[in-house]
Amino acid sequence: MEGPTGVVFPAIEGRRSTTALGRAVVADALRAVDPVGARSAEHETDWRHAYLGHFRRLVEAGLLSGDAAVTIARDGLAALHTRMRVVDDEGRERGLDEVFAASDPHPPLGTATVGGDGPVEREFTLPYRGDRLRGDDLRRRLDAWVAAGVVEPSCAEAVGTVLDNPDWLDLRDQRIVVLGAGAEMGPLTSVLRWGGDVVAVDLPRPEIWQRVLRTARRRGGRLHLPLAPGAAATDDDQKLAAHAGADLLHRLPQVARWLDGVDGRLVLGNYVYADGATNVRVAVAVDALTRHLQGRRDDVALAFLATPTDVFAVPGEAVRHAERGYARRGVGRRALRVVSGGRLLHRNYPPGADPGVNDSLVPQQGPNYALAKRLQRWRATVARQSGATVSFTVAPPTRTRSVLRNRALAAAYAGAHRFGIEVFDPATSNTLMAALLVHHLRTGRPASAHPWQDEAYAAAHGGLWRVPYAPRSALGLAVLLGLGGART
């Protein structure tokens, strides 16, 4: 048949418009708390470029109260679930919330379990710039990051607590579900290194599974992976990879049945990513799966990694750190600000803001990326308020393959250190984030008085929250400096 299948955008006047959906969802999310902002989003005529202000307004409106933030999250989720559609293989269309009500015509997935023969590690170590930091060396690195404003103090404290409790790394009492098992930022490698059980979900692409299986064979944990219906488990990894995988976008009920059958406490980790509009479709599919499993089981914890290139409320101490840096700016940077008419290198926050609003949205990533990531934040907020265990952590800027494919972003990352931003290698980021996941699971932090405080807790933003300059006002210069560095 023609046209997309699986989870799709709603058709409006014959077109499945990502712009129309984005405007409508943001407007619905704001309507009860900020009706003026809702009308502004609804009538926006240049969504592709002007979405930045509307996504910032979602955060600012939520600062009115904790209830306001939760209302925005709930209404935003409801707007997505009400609007998004599912088209089956025969072209029949239904609402997203009906996808689990109908009988699934696809046979159930099989399961293979792969054990590695590597050692099980019970000490947290962190790969960093060619070394593997442990013990006091790792604590000194954490202290240095705090002093430089690269991570929040609560991040260093949480990782330090994991260092103090090495038995926490034994995750055999959990089933860590890694949605997007081939992603560079997921905890798959760390959990397997610590001897835990990983339930891996990714697309049925042999090249992904060959890489995942090689990782599993070298570690001490166990990997559980879905197999195509009728396929048999085998010790031949090449044959196993040829039949492994599951399709969240097009076979959502099939994946849900498979995960519902997993024994043990589920930690549903969302590490999926796709390019362009498909990113929203996959994010919505994962959210529908999340809500379905939460309705069927009472043992589901959730895990998310937030992008640092978004809008966040930040603690007053982060604002004061940025202000101290702004006061020390050099003559050259002051002159550049004057010559540019204030467009470049303006201050990150108004003096004394508490909380401040850090706006690190990057226009090149686009409104679909922003919506997909905001959806995850909304689900974390709603789940946390309902009493679920939620690990939500702001991850650092990282040299992932998806970032480096974008020439402007790659250049900006190459020049970011000139402004006090540290960009991490994937191995450092995913190991650090895995430690924070362990901390959240073992401590079970209760919800804070306001959702923004939960989002800010243990953030490893790479410095974006604490640099003197608003990130977008330095972005163009970072790109130029990065391109110049690449040519030399």
Side-chain angles (χ1 to χ4, degrees), residues 276-287:
T278 305
N279 199 26
V280 176
R281 296 171 62 201
V282 175
V284 170
V286 171
D287 196 65

Side-chain angles (χ1 to χ4, degrees), residues 331-347:
V331 174
R333 294 191 177 182
R334 284 198 296 269
L336 184 59
R337 172 159 168 71
V338 172
V339 169
S340 69
R343 291 187 301 275
L344 297 176
L345 302 183
H346 58 78
R347 67 197 321 152

Side-chain angles (χ1 to χ4, degrees), residues 221-386:
R222 294 195 306 167
L223 178 74
H224 309 276
L225 59 150
L227 293 179
T234 172
D235 291 331
D236 185 326
D237 284 356
Q238 187 170 355
K239 292 181 179 177
L240 199 58
H243 298 288
D247 191 338
L248 280 163
L249 196 58
H250 300 95
R251 300 285 185 270
L252 190 51
Q254 187 186 50
V255 180
R257 275 189 295 159
W258 186 71
L259 287 174
D260 195 26
V262 173
D263 292 331
R265 185 198 191 192
L266 286 187
V267 180
L268 196 63
N270 184 349
Y271 308 100
V272 300
Y273 172 79
D275 289 331
T278 305
N279 199 26
V280 176
R281 296 171 62 201
V282 175
V284 170
V286 171
D287 196 65
L289 172 70
T290 300
R291 196 167 77 165
H292 176 73
L293 290 174
Q294 285 182 311
R296 291 183 59 83
R297 305 176 58 139
D298 59 5
D299 62 347
V300 178
L302 305 183
F304 304 90
L305 293 182
T307 176
T309 52
D310 203 339
V311 184
F312 291 96
V314 306
E317 173 50 34
V319 174
R320 291 189 289 274
H321 187 124
E323 284 299 296
R324 290 192 292 271
Y326 191 80
R328 295 193 299 267
R329 69 198 188 282
V331 174
R333 294 191 177 182
R334 284 198 296 269
L336 184 59
R337 172 159 168 71
V338 172
V339 169
S340 69
R343 291 187 301 275
L344 297 176
L345 302 183
H346 58 78
R347 67 197 321 152
N348 211 345
Y349 308 100
D354 189 3
V357 175
N358 179 266
D359 187 349
S360 294
L361 281 166
V362 175
Q364 287 85 348
Q365 291 181 304
N368 290 319
Y369 181 79
L371 181 58
K373 297 307 291 185
R374 196 60 58 95
L375 161 60
Q376 295 175 8
R377 290 173 64 178
W378 288 340
R379 179 55 62 192
T381 293
V382 170
R384 197 185 292 111
Q385 291 298 312
S386 70

Side-chain angles (χ1 to χ4, degrees), residues 24 30 66 190 224 305 416 426 440:
L30 286 170
S190 292
H224 309 276
L305 293 182
H440 292 146

Side-chain angles (χ1 to χ4, degrees), residues 29-266:
L30 286 170
R31 201 173 312 279
V33 173
D34 179 7
V36 173
R39 287 194 297 272
S40 177
E42 279 180 319
H43 296 107
E44 179 59 66
T45 58
D46 187 17
W47 188 254
R48 178 62 185 81
H49 299 97
Y51 77 93
L52 301 165
H54 300 289
F55 275 84
R56 177 180 177 122
R57 192 150 185 165
L58 286 166
V59 173
E60 292 175 329
L63 292 178
L64 293 170
S65 68
D67 287 343
V70 174
T71 296
I72 288 170
R74 285 180 176 152
D75 290 353
L77 291 171
L80 273 164
H81 280 260
T82 300
R83 286 180 167 82
M84 292 295 282
R85 313 292 292 171
V86 177
V87 177
D88 66 20
D89 294 342
E90 306 302 319
R92 294 184 292 264
E93 182 172 324
R94 61 170 65 97
L96 177 66
D97 289 343
E98 300 172 43
V99 68
F100 297 110
S103 60
D104 184 10
H106 302 101
L109 295 164
T111 304
T113 298
V114 172
D117 55 11
V120 172
E121 298 184 15
R122 284 290 180 268
E123 177 189 19
F124 178 66
T125 62
L126 184 71
Y128 185 69
R129 296 184 176 178
D131 291 328
R132 191 140 200 126
L133 304 180
R134 53 176 29 91
D136 289 342
D137 287 340
L138 177 49
R139 294 181 194 275
R140 282 190 286 271
R141 170 43 47 199
L142 293 168
D143 290 342
W145 277 337
V146 171
V150 171
V151 305
E152 290 304 290
S154 53
C155 175
E157 292 166 7
V159 176
T161 304
V162 173
L163 280 169
D164 292 336
N165 294 275
D167 56 304
W168 284 4
L169 300 180
D170 184 355
L171 293 172
R172 287 175 295 178
D173 59 327
Q174 318 275 336
R175 298 295 176 266
I176 309 298
V177 180
V178 181
L179 303 175
E184 292 178 271
M185 288 296 289
L188 181 143
T189 300
S190 292
V191 175
L192 291 174
R193 176 183 291 116
W194 301 328
D197 280 60
V198 170
V199 180
V201 177
D202 213 316
L203 290 167
R205 294 178 180 169
E207 67 276 12
I208 293 175
W209 291 102
Q210 288 167 3
R211 188 170 70 249
V212 170
L213 287 166
R214 282 196 299 271
T215 299
R217 295 297 187 189
R218 294 196 296 264
R219 305 299 189 273
R222 294 195 306 167
L223 178 74
H224 309 276
L225 59 150
L227 293 179
T234 172
D235 291 331
D236 185 326
D237 284 356
Q238 187 170 355
K239 292 181 179 177
L240 199 58
H243 298 288
D247 191 338
L248 280 163
L249 196 58
H250 300 95
R251 300 285 185 270
L252 190 51
Q254 187 186 50
V255 180
R257 275 189 295 159
W258 186 71
L259 287 174
D260 195 26
V262 173
D263 292 331
R265 185 198 191 192
L266 286 187

